[in-house]
Amino acid sequence: MIKTDVLVLGGGLAGLSTAYHLNELGGPEALVVEKNADVGGMAATVSKDGFLFDHTGHLLHLHDAYGKKLVLDMLGENLAVHERSSWIYSSGAYTRYPFQANTHGLADRVIEDCVNGFLKTVHRPGKPLAGQPSFRDWCLKQFGAGISRHFMFPYNKKLWRLPLSRLTTEWQGRFVPRPSAVEVLYGALTDQKKFFGYNATFRYPLKGGIQALPDALRARLKPGQVRTGCAVERVDLRERVAVVKNIGEVSFNRLVSTLPLVDLIDMAESLPPAVRAARRRLRYNSVYNLNLGVARDVSKKHWVYFPEKKYPFYRAGFSHNFARANVPPGASALYIESARTSGEKVDLAKLENAMLAGLRSCGILRRGDKLLTKLWIPMRCAYVVYDFDRTPAVERIFPCLRSLGVESIGRYGAWKYSFMEETILDGKRCAERLLGRAPTVELSDAELKPLK
C-alpha cells in the first residue's frame, strides 16, 4: 500500500495547483492521480493531423494580480494577448457581443423591440424582484422583453436545457454585463466597439494549445508527484484509503477531489444517506464538441453565439485565430458546441450532419470546402446547472465532506460556474486551508474586469 499525506484526485488545473502550492508553502507531500494519459482535464489539447484541438474554447481571462503573475511566470513568452472578437448571429446578421449593447445591424423592428423594452426597465422599473428570482424574471427585469426574447431566452435555453423559470441567478452576476441606457441606444444606432464583460481581452499560448498551461504547472512539481493513467475506482472516507487503477490501495491523511462532485459521491464509501439524497438533486449538462480542420481561412472572428433554434449548436469558435500554430499553413480550425442534458442519447453522425448544414446555411462553410480532419470531443460533465435544487444540495453535501477531511474544489469539485484562473486560485486556497492558514481573498462576486 502506498501512503501519502495528501491525495489529490484529478490532474487538471485545480489538482495541479493544489500540489504546486503545497510545495511552495512547505506543506505535506501530495500525490496527484489522473485517469487520462496526460494532465489537464478539461484544459487539455488533442493533436490530430497537424491540428491542435482544445476541449472547446479554453481562453485565459485574468482578473487577479497573483493569478496573472503566476500564469505569466509559467508561460513566459509563449503567450499572446488578444482583444476579443466575439459576435452573435441572428436574423441573418452578425452583431457584436454582448447582444444587449449591440443591436445595430438587425432589422429595424428587432432594434425597436429591444431598445423600447430596455428603456422600460430604466424609466418604469416596477417593483424589485423578491427573494431568489429565476433567471427568466431577472432577464426581463434587467434587459426588458425585447432583448430577452431575441437573445437571452433562446440562447440560454439552448445552453442550459431547462425552462429558465427553474434557473437561478447565482451563476451569472460576474459574467453577464448590464449596459447603461446610453450604451444601449448608441449600440443600436452605430457599430459600437466598446468592450464589455469579463472576457474583453484574453491570453492564449502561442504554441501547444491550452495544454501548455497544465504542462507548465506540472513541470513545477516534483518528479513522480503526478501519476497518469490512474483512475480512482473507490474511496473509503472513514478508513482514508483509495483504490486507484494501476497503483492499488493508497492511504491518505487528507483528500482533495477535483472530480465532478457527483462522481466523488458515487465512488465514496461511508457517506450518510442524506448526502446521497442531495447528490440526486444535482444536475449537469454535457457538451458535444465537433472540431473541424478546413483547407482555407473561414473567419477572422474568435467565436460566434447562435441563439436561434434552427441551428443545432449554441456557439462556434475559430481556434486558428487564437494561435496560428494550432493549424497547418493556410488552414483553419473550428470548434462547434451543442449541449444536452446528462444521460441524453445523441446520434453523433446525425448531429454532425446537422452541424455542417447549419454552418453552411449561415455562410461559415461553403459547399466546396475541403475538410482536412474532424474530431469529436464529448464532455460528459461540462456545465453545472444552477437550478433551485443546486444550492440546498451542496449546502448539505460540503459540510459532511469537510467533516471527513475532504476538500472538493475546482469548477466541478465545487460544483460551480468558473474559469481557468479561478480554478488555479482554488488550488492555492485549498493548499492554504490544508496548512491551517487563512485562505487568500476570493475573486469578487461583482462583475469581473480583465487585467491588462
Side-chain angles (χ1 to χ4, degrees), residues 59-60 62 68 72 79-81 201-205 451-452:
L59 311 175
L60 276 162
L62 303 179
K68 176 183 175 181
L72 296 185
L79 199 61
V81 182
T201 61
F202 66 90
R203 289 172 170 83
Y204 189 86
L451 296 177
K452 295 183 179 181

Side-chain angles (χ1 to χ4, degrees), residues 113 115-129 137 139-145 178 181:
D113 193 25
V115 172
N116 284 346
F118 185 85
L119 292 179
K120 286 179 182 177
T121 71
V122 175
H123 299 295
R124 294 204 298 269
K127 295 180 180 179
L129 294 173
D137 290 344
C139 285
L140 292 170
K141 183 74 173 177
Q142 292 288 310
F143 304 114
R178 187 181 193 272

Side-chain angles (χ1 to χ4, degrees), residues 250-356:
V250 179
S251 172
F252 57 86
N253 294 320
R254 299 292 299 274
L255 184 73
V256 177
S257 175
T258 69
L259 308 181
L261 182 59
V262 292
D263 294 348
L264 172 65
I265 296 172
D266 288 348
M267 70 173 60
E269 299 174 359
S270 309
L271 286 174
V275 169
R276 301 201 181 278
R279 176 260 181 265
R280 291 193 290 271
R281 300 169 68 187
L282 299 177
R283 291 170 51 89
Y284 61 88
N285 283 349
S286 301
V287 166
Y288 291 85
N289 171 29
L290 175 63
N291 297 271
L292 301 174
V294 185
R296 69 175 177 91
D297 188 345
V298 301
S299 177
K300 301 297 184 184
K301 298 176 173 63
H302 288 130
W303 66 89
V304 181
Y305 300 100
F306 290 85
E308 294 171 312
K309 190 175 181 179
K310 64 182 177 180
Y311 296 104
F313 40 84
Y314 62 87
R315 181 167 54 194
F318 310 93
S319 58
H320 61 287
N321 294 325
F322 306 157
R324 292 305 308 178
N326 284 345
V327 299
S332 57
L334 288 78
Y335 60 91
I336 309 101
E337 300 167 271
S338 187
R340 295 292 187 275
T341 56
S342 60
E344 184 177 346
K345 291 185 178 180
V346 177
D347 184 331
L348 290 184
K350 184 176 180 180
L351 179 57
E352 180 179 314
N353 288 335
M355 284 181 163
L356 292 174

Side-chain angles (χ1 to χ4, degrees), residues 72-138:
L72 296 185
D73 285 348
M74 287 192 297
L75 294 180
E77 295 182 357
N78 187 28
L79 199 61
V81 182
H82 300 267
E83 288 190 341
R84 177 192 70 208
S85 177
S86 58
W87 300 76
I88 297 102
Y89 187 80
S90 62
S91 301
Y94 284 100
T95 55
R96 294 183 185 273
Y97 172 89
F99 182 92
Q100 56 268 32
N102 297 287
T103 53
H104 178 73
L106 295 172
D108 289 346
R109 59 175 180 79
V110 176
I111 296 174
E112 182 179 355
D113 193 25
C114 292
V115 172
N116 284 346
F118 185 85
L119 292 179
K120 286 179 182 177
T121 71
V122 175
H123 299 295
R124 294 204 298 269
K127 295 180 180 179
L129 294 173
Q132 172 63 275
S134 70
F135 182 72
R136 180 184 185 281
D137 290 344
W138 180 86

Side-chain angles (χ1 to χ4, degrees), residues 1-12 14-16 18-20 22-23 27-34 39 218 221-228 230 232 242-258 434:
M1 179 184 293
I2 293 177
K3 295 184 179 181
T4 184
D5 289 317
V6 179
L7 177 62
V8 181
L9 309 184
L16 296 173
T18 300
Y20 166 75
L22 282 172
N23 293 348
E29 289 293 318
L31 173 66
V32 181
V33 293
E34 164 59 43
V39 296
R218 180 183 186 174
L221 301 184
K222 301 172 185 178
Q225 198 168 7
V226 179
R227 299 284 298 271
T228 56
C230 297
V232 184
V243 178
V244 182
K245 184 179 179 180
N246 294 324
I247 294 180
E249 291 189 340
V250 179
S251 172
F252 57 86
N253 294 320
R254 299 292 299 274
L255 184 73
V256 177
S257 175
T258 69
L434 290 172

